[in-house]
Amino acid sequence: ETLVKLVSQQRIEIQKLRQGNNLILGFSIGGGIDQDPGQNPFSEDKTDKGIYVTRITPGGPADVAGLMMGDKIMQVNGWDMTMVTHDKARKRLTKKNEDVVRLLVTRKSLEEAVKQSMGGFPRP
Amino acid sequence: MEGNGEISDTDSGIILHSGSDSPTTHTKDVTTHTRAMKVKHQDLRDRLEICILELKKLCIREAELTGRLSEDYPLLPGEKPPQIRRRIGAAFKLDEQNIPQGAEDSQLSLVDAELALQMKIYEAARKLCEEEQLSKAVRRSRLQQCKREEKKLKQLQETSFQLRLEHGRSSPLPAFNITQQDLGTSDDSSLSDSVVQDEEVTSQSSQPSSGLPYPVETDPPQPAPASSHSSVDGSYMSPSVAKQSLQLNLPQSPLTSLDSKLSSDSSPLYDLPPIQHSPWTESSLDQPYQKSKKSRSSSKTSSPAKTELLPPLETCLAQAGLPVQLSHLRLSRTQSNSTPSTPEMRVHRQLSLRLSSESSFDKDRGRTRGPRRRLTEYAITLPQTPLPPVNLGHHANSEDSNSEHSFTSYNSSPCQESPGDLPKYQCAFPTSSPVSGYGPPAFSPSGFYHNPRHMSSPSIQNTYYNKEMVYPADRDMSPSYYPQQAPCSPNRYEYWYKDTAVPHQRAQRPLPPDVRLTPSAQWDHPQYRSNCLPRQVVNEQLKSWHRRSQLKAPRSRSLDRQGAVRMKNTSARESPCYPNQKYHDQLIQRAALQRAAEDVQGHWVADDGTHYISQV
């Protein structure tokens, strides 16, 4: 028996929202190489020190763009995010001169996993 | 009346024929049609049956794994849900990655495999223990089983860990991976934490130089560190860590943690893992980035850019001499002007962010006040002094040699200061105490700027020790020795060096002159260029420098060598042709700056390169 873990990669383009003097994105992140990965509630692998989306502001720019809680951010505008400190990740996402951030995220897709396992299931 | 014409009524499917056989045809068609329908119907039913069976089986499997039957289970009316048996054994799968494959060391791989298996066993035993509604006997036996498995697990972990330690620095890693695998998913955090701590403790005690389990984690195959850094790594930090930081873009990587490490002055860096595991924090991206967070991802204005570079530099301090991005930013702490610099230069990250002070400092330079200037110059003790703890001795030393190189070069371009300057010096000194620590200055050779002025006052003593102002009263010599300062981020800080250029008086100066030069292109060399030192003095200084450099670990930074070569050439020369000297120094300085710039550019370019490649 094998358990299939499927992740799907998504490209999410978030248009930052200007609020006063700030450009907000409407989500929160957790993780980083300087963080304890065991406490990440979203990661499947508890040694994964990647950056995960921990919260999405409903109706915010990230929500509108399709980002979901639990997504792991792999890249931001081409910059790798799998091996960064927490602060570095924040920096990369909150650059003041960038209005748009394009994220590459992976998302555990349970439905897909189930479908696939059923489809290929040759039980008589 | 019916004629020959056919009236076909498609709706009813009745075709009115004039023929006699129309009814039969019609019936046949209907029958055929019906039969076809029936067959189709039956087919569908069969398929449905098959699907339902599949679903049932899947549900049962799922229930076995999860412990409960899902509502999707297709139940015929009146049928009871089946009994499910929880199969703990199937609840996990050994991840391939945790089982070392093709490992050179078969023993290690064996242990690893056993470890992975044991982890699963333990996990299963634990889950069994937690099952509800156990009778006392069952529960007791399960608990015992669990404890046994736990012991076995720990033993295996120890073994594998020890094996790994023997095999290299990156050893603790995989153990951690395995340890943490699957443990964190459920409520095993306490176990994993304790295990992790055990490993950490062991690693720290047994191999202090490589006591950095975590940072090495993500990149087990550590590429050979850039050769230029190898010497630096040796004493400073676990090479693996250094490698890792080298690997990563410098701005990235364990900067933050290193920063925090640096701020804790006392312990040698290599004893603690550079990356601290903070509790998992979540930060909202809607808040503006605070400056206190060391780096701000703001626009490319100069100051943010500078601040961004800060952490890396601080890291560099730790790593002594990583050619971090050289920004033409000099972080200098302007204790300058007004107040006499306090003896203790506390380098705080924030303080070192005083770019503005730096600029003001620069301005000062041009200005007249001689003593003032010296003050400021001295004052720039490089905040870094305190920064890296003393353990940066090695690197500092190596740094020193660089500086000494430069120093000697400058030496030859003596500062023959008029006696009138001396008194100025004298007052200047007390204030500039913080300037020199005797700590090894970890600054990159790229930032050399020698201030000849300092050289001359014979009566001023400049013995600076780390964070202490030591004015050896008996020393009538003025030479500005800035003993190595605590290594500070090499590129970014300016080091001031009081040179022992005592032109006329002493030829003695046993003190090794450390000259720190700041890459301040803005400074006018001419200002500081005085006369040349007499050959004797130069020789003395060279000797002392040699002595000192021998004490220090050799620095294999390419920058160093280049600088060194140049310096030597320069210093070898006799009294300086002032213009020549100046030119040389400027050359060196420029070269240093260029190198710095190149470093920066190279660095960024590399980043950009990846950027382009990965972008879709």
Side-chain angles (χ1 to χ4, degrees):
Chain A
E1 284 186 0
T2 52
L3 291 179
V4 179
K5 177 176 88 174
L6 277 195
V7 295
S8 63
Q9 278 207 342
Q10 309 279 338
R11 293 186 188 276
I12 312 261
E13 180 172 307
I14 303 182
Q15 306 278 342
K16 295 189 194 176
L17 185 63
R18 183 166 292 280
Q19 266 187 5
N21 204 23
N22 304 330
L23 278 174
I24 68 161
L25 290 116
F27 68 104
S28 303
I29 56 166
I33 53 178
D34 56 336
Q35 308 269 311
D36 178 4
Q39 300 179 36
N40 183 346
F42 301 101
S43 60
E44 186 147 307
D45 171 5
K46 287 310 170 186
T47 60
D48 182 359
K49 293 186 165 184
I51 305 292
Y52 281 78
V53 176
T54 55
R55 247 189 300 154
I56 303 264
T57 309
D63 191 17
V64 163
L67 192 65
M68 299 186 67
M69 193 166 77
D71 285 352
K72 177 180 174 184
I73 303 180
M74 310 295 282
Q75 290 176 11
V76 171
N77 288 339
W79 295 89
D80 171 64
M81 298 288 272
T82 59
M83 264 244 282
V84 289
T85 58
H86 188 89
D87 269 358
K88 188 70 183 179
R90 276 211 326 166
K91 262 170 48 184
R92 290 237 173 105
L93 285 160
T94 55
K95 285 191 196 276
K96 277 192 175 173
N97 59 347
E98 285 176 355
D99 280 344
V100 177
V101 283
R102 292 183 181 86
L103 314 185
L104 179 66
V105 305
T106 56
R107 177 178 301 162
K108 278 180 299 189
S109 178
L110 182 60
E111 301 167 21
E112 286 187 43
V114 171
K115 269 184 247 165
Q116 287 221 8
S117 68
M118 278 189 68
F121 208 64
R123 298 278 181 108
Chain B
M1 121 163 138
E2 299 174 38
N4 288 338
E6 298 175 358
I7 306 174
S8 67
D9 184 351
T10 49
D11 284 349
S12 61
I14 297 170
I15 299 175
L16 292 175
H17 287 290
S18 55
S20 58
D21 54 346
S22 56
T24 26
T25 321
H26 165 64
T27 321
K28 242 199 249 169
D29 287 341
V30 167
T31 315
T32 319
H33 188 65
T34 313
R35 216 178 300 134
M37 296 299 286
K38 278 189 179 158
V39 168
K40 278 191 194 162
H41 187 68
Q42 192 56 42
D43 278 344
L44 281 171
R45 279 224 166 128
D46 291 340
R47 283 180 61 196
L48 179 60
E49 198 58 39
I50 292 173
C51 287
I52 288 187
L53 278 174
E54 275 190 43
L55 180 56
K56 278 188 182 172
K57 287 187 175 128
L58 273 177
C59 282
I60 292 179
R61 279 182 68 200
E62 181 193 359
E64 282 168 358
L65 293 172
T66 61
R68 55 171 273 276
L69 192 60
S70 93
E71 297 96 20
D72 286 339
Y73 191 88
L75 284 170
L76 296 171
E79 189 183 332
K80 283 196 305 185
Q83 296 282 22
I84 43 163
R85 242 186 31 242
R86 185 74 194 277
R87 294 206 282 160
I88 305 277
F92 62 86
K93 149 182 125 98
L94 285 179
D95 282 348
E96 285 307 314
Q97 76 213 33
N98 276 347
I99 304 175
Q101 311 191 356
E104 316 69 27
D105 179 24
S106 60
Q107 191 189 15
L108 188 58
S109 66
L110 274 178
V111 175
D112 272 349
E114 282 179 26
L115 185 59
L117 186 59
Q118 185 59 30
M119 289 245 315
K120 304 289 184 180
I121 293 176
Y122 174 75
E123 176 78 8
R126 253 203 65 255
K127 289 203 173 140
L128 271 181
C129 290
E130 288 172 0
E131 203 178 308
E132 295 159 23
Q133 297 169 354
L134 295 173
S135 70
K136 260 196 186 170
V138 175
R139 186 175 299 156
R140 212 183 312 133
S141 70
R142 285 192 180 176
L143 266 173
Q144 281 170 3
Q145 174 77 11
C146 189
K147 291 208 168 72
R148 262 178 273 143
E149 303 302 336
E150 190 178 347
K151 238 189 275 173
K152 274 196 242 168
L153 180 67
K154 289 211 163 121
Q155 281 168 6
L156 273 176
Q157 278 170 347
E158 274 297 313
T159 323
S160 91
F161 187 70
Q162 293 302 328
L163 273 178
R164 289 217 169 80
L165 279 184
E166 293 162 17
H167 284 277
R169 315 167 195 116
S170 58
S171 53
L173 250 207
F176 280 124
N177 278 342
I178 292 182
T179 307
Q180 294 173 12
Q181 192 88 28
D182 289 337
L183 282 187
T185 27
S186 52
D187 23 11
D188 276 333
S189 50
S190 59
L191 173 70
S192 53
D193 281 348
S194 65
V195 168
V196 162
Q197 281 158 22
D198 284 347
E199 305 267 9
E200 213 173 341
V201 166
T202 328
S203 74
Q204 281 176 13
S205 55
S206 55
Q207 196 168 353
S209 64
S210 72
L212 308 161
Y214 292 101
V216 197
E217 232 179 53
T218 44
D219 274 295
Q222 300 282 354
S227 55
S228 60
H229 302 291
S230 50
S231 65
V232 166
D233 294 344
S235 52
Y236 206 73
M237 250 186 356
S238 156
S240 53
V241 175
K243 281 184 219 163
Q244 193 196 27
S245 12
L246 286 181
Q247 248 170 269
L248 308 171
N249 293 334
L250 282 172
Q252 192 176 325
S253 84
L255 297 180
T256 346
S257 50
L258 273 171
D259 276 338
S260 51
K261 305 250 20 265
L262 289 175
S263 57
S264 72
D265 244 328
S266 44
S267 54
L269 278 174
Y270 56 80
D271 271 351
L272 301 168
I275 294 183
Q276 310 276 16
H277 273 247
S278 50
W280 207 71
T281 58
E282 168 194 10
S283 53
S284 161
L285 297 173
D286 296 339
Q287 328 244 316
Y289 209 83
Q290 286 117 14
K291 199 165 192 186
S292 61
K293 294 255 179 179
K294 279 166 286 176
S295 33
R296 177 198 294 218
S297 70
S298 50
S299 50
K300 321 290 184 210
T301 62
S302 57
S303 44
K306 286 175 186 175
T307 60
E308 265 195 23
L309 290 175
L310 241 205
L313 273 188
E314 289 175 321
T315 311
C316 284
L317 284 183
Q319 299 173 3
L322 280 185
V324 194
Q325 309 111 12
L326 286 179
S327 37
H328 4 280
L329 321 169
R330 294 175 303 252
L331 290 187
S332 53
R333 183 124 158 218
T334 356
Q335 290 227 336
S336 51
N337 335 349
S338 39
T339 57
S341 39
T342 55
E344 308 178 328
M345 288 258 311
R346 295 257 168 261
V347 178
H348 301 285
R349 271 170 255 143
Q350 289 89 351
L351 285 176
S352 45
L353 289 187
R354 299 262 190 87
L355 302 165
S356 54
S357 55
E358 176 191 307
S359 44
S360 67
F361 170 78
D362 287 341
K363 287 181 211 139
D364 279 339
R365 301 219 356 267
R367 302 324 150 257
T368 40
R369 311 166 302 176
R372 214 19 174 302
R373 194 179 28 191
R374 287 193 207 106
L375 242 191
T376 53
E377 286 162 351
Y378 290 127
I380 301 186
T381 325
L382 306 181
Q384 310 98 19
T385 318
L387 241 200
V390 195
N391 51 29
L392 291 184
H394 291 286
H395 305 288
N397 282 341
S398 44
E399 290 284 1
D400 261 345
S401 46
N402 288 333
S403 53
E404 289 186 277
H405 290 298
S406 48
F407 167 79
T408 39
S409 71
Y410 283 115
N411 262 347
S412 44
S413 73
C415 348
Q416 289 254 328
E417 293 214 291
S418 59
D421 281 345
L422 296 181
K424 285 185 200 163
Y425 258 140
Q426 274 174 333
C427 25
F429 271 110
T431 53
S432 50
S433 52
V435 167
S436 50
Y438 215 74
F443 68 93
S444 74
S446 52
F448 293 159
Y449 193 87
H450 169 76
N451 180 1
R453 274 289 178 110
H454 295 288
M455 293 207 269
S456 47
S457 49
S459 41
I460 299 174
Q461 38 214 12
N462 342 349
T463 346
Y464 288 74
Y465 298 98
N466 253 344
K467 301 183 190 175
E468 291 174 2
M469 287 216 315
V470 176
Y471 300 106
D474 38 15
R475 225 193 265 189
D476 51 347
M477 210 156 102
S478 60
S480 35
Y481 290 96
Y482 284 56
Q484 307 100 354
Q485 315 218 0
C488 311
S489 90
N491 322 331
R492 318 235 288 136
Y493 298 90
E494 300 174 336
Y495 287 79
W496 286 101
Y497 227 84
K498 276 195 301 185
D499 205 75
T500 50
V502 179
H504 30 301
Q505 306 75 324
R506 347 330 233 275
Q508 55 311 329
R509 253 354 162 122
L511 289 183
D514 289 356
V515 180
R516 313 276 167 125
L517 309 174
T518 55
S520 119
Q522 307 157 18
W523 298 13
D524 339 313
H525 276 262
Q527 271 184 349
Y528 302 106
R529 278 314 142 96
S530 339
N531 340 344
C532 332
L533 285 175
R535 178 184 274 183
Q536 214 180 2
V537 178
V538 175
N539 285 346
E540 283 278 335
Q541 286 163 354
L542 273 175
K543 278 186 212 147
S544 56
W545 165 69
H546 278 297
R547 253 177 276 129
R548 284 187 73 214
S549 55
Q550 270 154 26
L551 293 173
K552 297 164 192 172
R555 264 173 60 115
S556 58
R557 304 235 347 247
S558 54
L559 279 181
D560 292 352
R561 291 206 195 91
Q562 269 185 317
V565 169
R566 284 224 195 128
M567 301 306 177
K568 275 182 188 156
N569 290 343
T570 325
S571 53
R573 245 183 294 153
E574 273 273 57
S575 33
C577 342
Y578 169 80
N580 278 3
Q581 201 44 274
K582 173 180 165 182
Y583 172 74
H584 240 282
D585 295 326
Q586 280 176 348
L587 259 190
I588 292 158
Q589 198 192 47
R590 302 256 169 74
L593 281 175
Q594 272 168 19
R595 234 174 276 129
E598 275 164 15
D599 275 353
V600 181
Q601 285 163 19
H603 182 76
W604 290 115
V605 162
D607 285 346
D608 286 345
T610 52
H611 172 94
Y612 290 135
I613 288 169
S614 56
Q615 208 172 32
V616 171

Short mmCIF file of all heavy atoms in Angstrom, two decimals, chain B residues 145-164:
data_model
loop_
_atom_site.label_atom_id
_atom_site.label_comp_id
_atom_site.label_asym_id
_atom_site.label_seq_id
_atom_site.Cartn_x
_atom_site.Cartn_y
_atom_site.Cartn_z
N GLN B 145 5.50 -1.92 26.02
CA GLN B 145 5.99 -2.05 24.66
C GLN B 145 6.49 -0.70 24.15
O GLN B 145 7.56 -0.59 23.54
CB GLN B 145 4.85 -2.57 23.77
CG GLN B 145 5.17 -2.63 22.30
CD GLN B 145 6.05 -3.81 21.96
OE1 GLN B 145 6.25 -4.69 22.79
NE2 GLN B 145 6.59 -3.82 20.77
N CYS B 146 5.69 0.27 24.42
CA CYS B 146 6.04 1.61 23.98
C CYS B 146 7.38 2.04 24.56
O CYS B 146 8.25 2.56 23.85
CB CYS B 146 4.94 2.57 24.42
SG CYS B 146 5.11 4.19 23.73
N LYS B 147 7.54 1.80 25.83
CA LYS B 147 8.79 2.23 26.45
C LYS B 147 9.97 1.49 25.85
O LYS B 147 11.04 2.06 25.61
CB LYS B 147 8.74 1.99 27.96
CG LYS B 147 7.79 2.89 28.67
CD LYS B 147 8.23 3.12 30.11
CE LYS B 147 7.45 4.26 30.73
NZ LYS B 147 6.04 3.93 31.03
N ARG B 148 9.78 0.23 25.60
CA ARG B 148 10.86 -0.53 25.01
C ARG B 148 11.24 0.05 23.66
O ARG B 148 12.42 0.24 23.35
CB ARG B 148 10.43 -2.00 24.85
CG ARG B 148 10.92 -2.90 25.98
CD ARG B 148 10.44 -4.30 25.81
NE ARG B 148 9.11 -4.49 26.39
CZ ARG B 148 8.18 -5.26 25.87
NH1 ARG B 148 8.39 -5.89 24.74
NH2 ARG B 148 7.00 -5.39 26.47
N GLU B 149 10.23 0.32 22.88
CA GLU B 149 10.52 0.86 21.56
C GLU B 149 11.22 2.21 21.67
O GLU B 149 12.11 2.54 20.89
CB GLU B 149 9.23 1.02 20.75
CG GLU B 149 8.43 -0.26 20.59
CD GLU B 149 9.23 -1.36 19.92
OE1 GLU B 149 10.19 -1.05 19.18
OE2 GLU B 149 8.91 -2.54 20.13
N GLU B 150 10.79 2.95 22.63
CA GLU B 150 11.40 4.28 22.78
C GLU B 150 12.88 4.14 23.11
O GLU B 150 13.73 4.85 22.57
CB GLU B 150 10.69 5.04 23.89
CG GLU B 150 11.09 6.51 23.96
CD GLU B 150 10.32 7.23 25.04
OE1 GLU B 150 9.34 6.65 25.54
OE2 GLU B 150 10.71 8.34 25.37
N LYS B 151 13.17 3.22 23.98
CA LYS B 151 14.58 3.03 24.33
C LYS B 151 15.38 2.61 23.12
O LYS B 151 16.47 3.13 22.85
CB LYS B 151 14.67 1.96 25.43
CG LYS B 151 15.36 2.46 26.68
CD LYS B 151 15.63 1.35 27.65
CE LYS B 151 14.40 1.10 28.50
NZ LYS B 151 14.53 -0.09 29.36
N LYS B 152 14.82 1.69 22.40
CA LYS B 152 15.53 1.23 21.22
C LYS B 152 15.78 2.40 20.28
O LYS B 152 16.85 2.56 19.70
CB LYS B 152 14.71 0.16 20.50
CG LYS B 152 14.91 -1.24 21.01
CD LYS B 152 14.37 -2.25 20.02
CE LYS B 152 13.26 -3.06 20.63
NZ LYS B 152 12.50 -3.84 19.65
N LEU B 153 14.77 3.18 20.14
CA LEU B 153 14.87 4.32 19.24
C LEU B 153 16.00 5.23 19.67
O LEU B 153 16.83 5.65 18.86
CB LEU B 153 13.54 5.08 19.25
CG LEU B 153 13.49 6.31 18.36
CD1 LEU B 153 13.58 5.88 16.92
CD2 LEU B 153 12.21 7.07 18.60
N LYS B 154 16.03 5.51 20.95
CA LYS B 154 17.07 6.44 21.40
C LYS B 154 18.45 5.86 21.18
O LYS B 154 19.37 6.56 20.77
CB LYS B 154 16.87 6.76 22.88
CG LYS B 154 15.67 7.61 23.14
CD LYS B 154 15.86 8.50 24.35
CE LYS B 154 14.83 9.60 24.33
NZ LYS B 154 13.98 9.60 25.52
N GLN B 155 18.56 4.59 21.45
CA GLN B 155 19.87 3.98 21.24
C GLN B 155 20.29 4.08 19.79
O GLN B 155 21.42 4.42 19.47
CB GLN B 155 19.83 2.51 21.65
CG GLN B 155 19.92 2.33 23.14
CD GLN B 155 19.58 0.91 23.52
OE1 GLN B 155 19.39 0.06 22.64
NE2 GLN B 155 19.47 0.65 24.80
N LEU B 156 19.36 3.79 18.94
CA LEU B 156 19.68 3.86 17.53
C LEU B 156 20.08 5.26 17.14
O LEU B 156 21.02 5.47 16.37
CB LEU B 156 18.48 3.40 16.69
CG LEU B 156 18.40 1.90 16.44
CD1 LEU B 156 17.14 1.57 15.70
CD2 LEU B 156 19.60 1.44 15.64
N GLN B 157 19.37 6.19 17.65
CA GLN B 157 19.68 7.57 17.31
C GLN B 157 21.07 7.93 17.78
O GLN B 157 21.83 8.57 17.07
CB GLN B 157 18.66 8.51 17.94
CG GLN B 157 17.41 8.61 17.12
CD GLN B 157 16.34 9.33 17.85
OE1 GLN B 157 16.44 9.57 19.06
NE2 GLN B 157 15.28 9.68 17.15
N GLU B 158 21.37 7.52 18.98
CA GLU B 158 22.71 7.79 19.48
C GLU B 158 23.75 7.20 18.57
O GLU B 158 24.73 7.83 18.19
CB GLU B 158 22.86 7.18 20.88
CG GLU B 158 22.40 8.07 22.01
CD GLU B 158 23.22 9.31 22.09
OE1 GLU B 158 24.47 9.20 22.03
OE2 GLU B 158 22.65 10.38 22.18
N THR B 159 23.53 5.94 18.26
CA THR B 159 24.50 5.25 17.41
C THR B 159 24.69 5.98 16.10
O THR B 159 25.81 6.26 15.68
CB THR B 159 24.01 3.83 17.10
OG1 THR B 159 23.37 3.30 18.25
CG2 THR B 159 25.18 2.96 16.69
N SER B 160 23.58 6.26 15.50
CA SER B 160 23.71 6.89 14.18
C SER B 160 24.38 8.24 14.32
O SER B 160 25.19 8.64 13.49
CB SER B 160 22.34 7.02 13.52
OG SER B 160 21.77 8.24 13.83
N PHE B 161 24.05 8.90 15.35
CA PHE B 161 24.64 10.21 15.55
C PHE B 161 26.15 10.10 15.72
O PHE B 161 26.92 10.85 15.13
CB PHE B 161 24.02 10.87 16.77
CG PHE B 161 24.46 12.27 16.92
CD1 PHE B 161 24.04 13.25 16.04
CD2 PHE B 161 25.33 12.62 17.93
CE1 PHE B 161 24.45 14.54 16.17
CE2 PHE B 161 25.74 13.92 18.06
CZ PHE B 161 25.31 14.88 17.19
N GLN B 162 26.55 9.18 16.53
CA GLN B 162 27.98 9.02 16.74
C GLN B 162 28.68 8.66 15.44
O GLN B 162 29.72 9.19 15.11
CB GLN B 162 28.24 7.93 17.78
CG GLN B 162 27.79 8.28 19.18
CD GLN B 162 28.45 9.54 19.67
OE1 GLN B 162 29.59 9.84 19.33
NE2 GLN B 162 27.73 10.30 20.47
N LEU B 163 28.05 7.78 14.74
CA LEU B 163 28.65 7.38 13.47
C LEU B 163 28.82 8.59 12.58
O LEU B 163 29.83 8.77 11.92
CB LEU B 163 27.74 6.36 12.77
CG LEU B 163 27.97 4.91 13.15
CD1 LEU B 163 26.98 4.04 12.41
CD2 LEU B 163 29.38 4.49 12.84
N ARG B 164 27.81 9.37 12.58
CA ARG B 164 27.87 10.52 11.72
C ARG B 164 28.95 11.48 12.16
O ARG B 164 29.66 12.04 11.35
CB ARG B 164 26.53 11.24 11.75
CG ARG B 164 25.50 10.46 11.05
CD ARG B 164 24.58 11.37 10.32
NE ARG B 164 23.74 10.59 9.43
CZ ARG B 164 22.70 9.94 9.83
NH1 ARG B 164 22.36 9.96 11.09
NH2 ARG B 164 21.98 9.26 8.96
#
